[in-house]
Amino acid sequence: MKSLMNSFVGKIIIMIIIAGMAFWGVDQMFAQLRGGLGSDMAKAGSRGFDAAVFDRRVETVLRNINAEADEPMTKPELLEDGLIDQIFQLESAKLTLLGYADSIGVRPSTDAVVEELRNTDAFKNPLTGSLDLDTYRQALYNARISQQEYEQQLSDDLALKAMREGTIAAINPPSALTALQARYLTEQRNVAWFVLDTTSLPEPAAPTEEDVRAYYDENLEALKQPERRMIDVLRMSAEDFLSEVTVTDQEVATVYEASKSERYSEPDTRTFVELLFSTREAARTAFGLLAGGADPASLEGVVSRETRTGRRESVSDPILAEAMFGAGKQSGALFGPSERGDQWLVARLVSVQPGAVFPLEQVEEEIRDQLARERAGVVLYEKMEALDRAIGAGYPLSQIAEEVGVPLITYAPVDQSGRTREGVLMAGLVQAGEAFQQAFEVPVGETSNRFDIGEASYLVSPRKIIESYTPEFEELREEVREGLVFQRQQDGVQSALDDLKRRIESGETTLEAEARAAGEVVETPLAPVTRRTAGEAGLPNAALGPIFTGKQGDVFTLPSRDGNAVMVMQLTDITEPSDEEMTALSSIARASLTSDLSSDLAQAVDAEIAAAMKLRTNQGALNAYKASISSDQ
């Protein structure tokens, strides 16, 4: 070994090892060991989580998002949208609180965890209504979570709940503060207004040629045209290959016959009987008898019996609807016992009447289109391999388009918002998303990365660049004139409103007199507004701030969106609440104040815990996790 190390070959090996350590980040490994994190991505006190635990959390978030989303998301999309970092920050913040709770001995007992399990309906046996281990384990299996992991999460949630409730349990707002809050909520303010037509105000003087030229010279930077690029776009999806696939009439007929009762028919109609019992025990007994084949008509202790026939949408209870109309449910399927007020419901499916089957002629095109799209998807998969080979070979975009047989689309020069010099939006180009954005980052003739957006793949290449410039005065003369006229109109309107506001507030004139002069009438709300009733007063949201921050006699103006009308409003009266009103609202004021104080105190406690409990994070491990998502993609 010593001889090898002293040889030329040995020195080469040592150099390779050193380069490899630098390349693969051995410094991060030693930093991780020095930091005491081990394999953890984050650690606070005795608590921490590694990449496997963090990945399960990401999977849970992903399932929750996809359960509500119209289009499913993937981990690479979470990474792209910055959600991985957000999840890491949330989990790290939670870890800090758990680490502190553990350090001060806040740990729920085993009995507390078991009690939570007993109170979870998803873990209860439908016959006994009690915690059932088999049901519990099956529910966890369906959720892809181990029993140990779930119970640890439950224990953590109980610990956090105990800390949160302990933090705010003793909050009791003082009477002086409660009285101030009640006064704040019940103070009444009245306003009056009229609507001024700004088009009736005097027109400003028309600008001269010298005015227009001076305005142009003063706004050269604002008048500068942005850089625009002429862009070639390759968009490839399964739709591009529909013309290359064939679907025969026989194939359509085969699919129709195989699935007409499930997919090409009216919804079935089902008959089920609902039985109501006065006690849970009676309902359980009836459920057991029905499961054994008993006739619903022979059961004893039935308070109410109703036979219903209809389709799934006629049942408002989603759980009952699933039990009676769910996939695979046959005659004899049972539901319950389920509490309904002071009674208990048991239901039994009596019969299933299939819906009418649509004729082949009515659904033929739908089936043909579905089969064609499926086959076009297979062609797309083969074309994607050709696309990746062409990209890897470094072909220009025009040749890549020829290789995959997809037309190349060339768009007129646009700025980074996707608009032409005339202001026309190139919607098809904007749909390319990140590919379009990258077209402004690569030089002419270069091809962007491949971006998969929705069901299409995009490649772009800039064909021509039009540098930013300021057009000559002659080219912009009329546009500049219009801009100057508009600015003078706006300035004139604002000057008139400022003068009107000053004269009303000084007492030189009144709101009523100005309304009459404008041919308008003064309006008021039906009743004075308070901070509790302001949202129901029908006033513009923009008016609420000035109403409750202004002084009596203040005037403020609220322009419409197009600026052609302005609401001129005056705060006419401020009335303090009476003692009776204060007393009547004291409980509401106390509740509102308690909620605000609880929120503020919880944030303060979290900040103090974060300062007291050192959180250590392993950025290298987080980066490695992100890289694993990118490589999996």
Side-chain angles (χ1 to χ4, degrees):
M1 180 63 70
K2 183 176 180 180
S3 299
L4 176 63
M5 292 300 100
N6 288 328
S7 68
F8 176 75
V9 174
K11 292 177 181 179
I12 293 296
I13 293 173
I14 292 296
M15 291 174 64
I16 292 173
I17 292 174
I18 293 173
M21 292 172 70
F23 181 77
W24 277 290
V26 71
D27 58 322
Q28 293 182 0
M29 178 184 72
F30 286 123
Q32 180 178 343
L33 294 174
R34 287 195 300 269
L37 289 172
S39 62
D40 286 333
M41 297 179 73
K43 196 165 187 177
S46 61
R47 300 299 300 269
F49 61 80
D50 57 18
V53 172
F54 181 66
D55 184 62
R56 286 195 291 272
R57 177 57 181 158
V58 171
E59 290 282 358
T60 300
V61 172
L62 190 61
R63 283 197 300 273
N64 292 339
I65 291 175
N66 289 337
E68 302 294 334
D70 294 332
E71 294 185 5
M73 289 190 71
T74 62
K75 278 188 186 178
E77 289 173 330
L78 290 183
L79 177 62
E80 182 180 344
D81 293 344
L83 293 178
I84 297 296
D85 287 322
Q86 292 182 30
I87 296 172
F88 184 77
Q89 292 170 4
L90 290 173
E91 291 301 301
S92 298
K94 179 179 177 181
L95 184 68
T96 303
L97 298 177
L98 290 172
Y100 183 79
D102 200 51
S103 69
I104 62 175
V106 177
R107 302 182 187 89
S109 65
T110 302
D111 291 342
V113 174
V114 172
E115 186 62 26
E116 282 295 313
L117 295 176
R118 285 176 177 160
N119 292 330
T120 304
D121 292 338
F123 303 150
K124 292 180 181 179
N125 186 302
L127 290 175
T128 64
S130 302
L131 175 64
D132 181 78
L133 291 180
D134 291 336
T135 304
Y136 170 52
R137 291 175 181 134
Q138 183 62 42
L140 295 185
Y141 176 79
N142 294 338
R144 304 176 191 175
I145 185 172
S146 69
Q147 183 174 339
Q148 179 182 0
E149 184 181 359
Y150 178 77
E151 290 175 4
Q152 181 62 58
Q153 289 182 7
L154 187 56
S155 177
D156 290 345
D157 290 343
L158 290 173
L160 294 176
K161 180 181 178 182
M163 289 184 60
R164 184 70 67 208
E165 291 179 349
T167 298
I168 64 176
I171 289 181
N172 185 23
S175 300
L177 202 55
T178 302
L180 185 61
Q181 181 76 353
R183 183 179 301 277
Y184 175 81
L185 293 174
T186 56
E187 178 189 68
Q188 295 182 351
R189 298 196 169 209
N190 213 345
V191 292
W193 69 86
F194 73 93
V195 177
L196 176 65
D197 182 2
T198 58
T199 60
S200 64
L201 296 175
E203 286 286 335
T208 64
E209 187 71 10
E210 291 73 18
D211 293 336
V212 176
R213 180 68 200 212
Y215 188 72
Y216 170 84
D217 293 335
E218 293 168 2
N219 294 276
L220 290 176
E221 191 64 30
L223 294 170
K224 181 178 290 186
Q225 290 293 313
E227 175 190 297
R228 288 187 170 87
R229 296 194 174 200
M230 180 182 291
I231 301 172
D232 292 335
V233 178
L234 185 152
R235 179 190 184 279
M236 190 170 76
S237 68
E239 292 184 353
D240 294 308
F241 308 107
L242 287 173
S243 60
E244 299 184 17
V245 300
T246 303
V247 178
T248 66
D249 292 341
Q250 182 59 48
E251 289 170 334
V252 173
T254 300
V255 171
Y256 173 76
E257 291 297 331
S259 55
K260 61 183 179 181
S261 60
E262 293 84 15
R263 299 174 58 186
Y264 305 112
S265 63
E266 295 280 359
D268 57 29
T269 301
R270 303 195 176 193
T271 299
F272 58 97
V273 59
E274 292 184 345
L275 308 170
L276 287 173
F277 299 86
S278 58
T279 65
R280 185 177 188 176
E281 289 71 23
R284 288 180 185 170
T285 302
F287 188 98
L289 293 172
L290 291 172
D295 185 349
S298 66
L299 298 177
E300 297 181 356
V302 179
V303 175
S304 172
R305 180 184 288 105
E306 180 183 3
T307 300
R308 299 177 58 184
T309 300
R311 294 179 176 177
R312 180 169 187 147
E313 57 267 22
S314 66
V315 181
S316 59
D317 184 336
I319 302 177
L320 175 60
E322 179 62 25
M324 297 293 101
F325 291 86
K329 299 295 183 182
Q330 300 295 327
S331 299
L334 296 174
F335 168 79
S338 177
E339 190 172 8
R340 293 290 191 274
D342 58 352
Q343 296 179 322
W344 294 83
L345 171 68
V346 174
R348 181 183 183 184
L349 180 58
V350 177
S351 63
V352 179
Q353 299 86 43
V357 176
F358 299 127
L360 174 60
E361 294 75 16
Q362 187 174 338
V363 297
E364 179 179 2
E365 288 308 313
E366 178 184 345
I367 298 174
R368 189 181 302 278
D369 181 70
Q370 179 186 352
L371 290 174
R373 290 183 179 278
E374 290 176 356
R375 292 176 184 179
V378 175
V379 177
L380 174 64
Y381 180 78
E382 297 170 353
K383 294 289 186 178
M384 290 296 289
E385 294 182 345
L387 179 67
D388 289 338
R389 286 195 301 270
I391 294 172
Y395 293 161
L397 190 57
S398 58
Q399 186 174 351
I400 294 175
E402 293 177 4
E403 291 289 325
V404 297
V406 174
L408 198 63
I409 303 173
T410 301
Y411 286 89
V414 297
D415 58 23
Q416 294 192 41
S417 70
R419 295 187 180 276
T420 65
R421 172 72 173 83
E422 295 74 24
V424 178
L425 178 67
M426 297 287 104
L429 188 54
V430 174
Q431 288 174 358
E434 289 184 85
F436 168 56
Q437 296 171 16
Q438 198 173 86
F440 284 85
E441 300 171 1
V442 298
V444 171
E446 290 290 326
T447 301
S448 71
N449 296 331
R450 191 190 96 196
F451 291 92
D452 299 327
I453 302 173
E455 297 180 355
S457 296
Y458 289 90
L459 288 172
V460 302
S461 176
R463 178 183 290 259
K464 179 182 178 182
I465 298 177
I466 301 175
E467 300 292 345
S468 175
Y469 72 101
T470 300
E472 295 297 328
F473 173 70
E474 288 72 18
E475 181 182 347
L476 295 180
R477 184 193 307 271
E478 291 308 314
E479 292 182 31
V480 173
R481 183 184 300 277
E482 291 174 2
L484 179 56
V485 169
F486 179 77
Q487 179 177 315
R488 287 187 172 184
Q489 288 174 340
Q490 295 300 106
D491 292 345
V493 169
Q494 189 59 54
S495 177
L497 291 176
D498 290 343
D499 182 63
L500 177 63
K501 177 177 182 295
R502 177 190 60 76
R503 289 188 293 111
I504 295 176
E505 288 181 341
S506 66
E508 181 180 339
T509 185
T510 64
L511 189 74
E512 290 75 10
E514 293 300 326
R516 284 194 300 271
E520 300 291 342
V521 295
V522 173
E523 300 179 68
T524 59
L526 296 177
V529 295
T530 68
R531 288 177 174 84
R532 294 185 62 223
T533 63
E536 304 167 3
L539 296 172
N541 289 334
L544 300 182
I547 288 174
F548 291 108
T549 58
K551 302 186 296 294
Q552 186 169 324
D554 283 356
V555 176
F556 41 93
T557 55
L558 305 166
S560 62
R561 288 187 178 182
D562 59 11
N564 291 333
V566 174
M567 178 183 282
V568 181
M569 182 176 287
Q570 184 174 28
L571 181 56
T572 59
D573 185 58
I574 300 176
T575 304
E576 295 293 329
S578 65
D579 292 341
E580 292 76 13
E581 290 173 327
M582 296 271 289
T583 302
L585 203 66
S586 61
S587 59
I588 296 177
R590 182 176 295 276
S592 172
L593 195 56
T594 299
S595 176
D596 292 342
L597 291 174
S598 297
S599 177
D600 292 345
L601 184 58
Q603 291 181 19
V605 169
D606 289 349
E608 288 297 317
I609 290 176
M613 178 59 58
K614 181 180 179 182
L615 172 68
R616 293 173 292 171
T617 58
N618 186 348
Q619 190 62 42
L622 178 59
N623 292 338
Y625 177 77
K626 293 179 183 178
S628 70
I629 294 177
S630 301
S631 62
D632 288 345
Q633 182 186 24

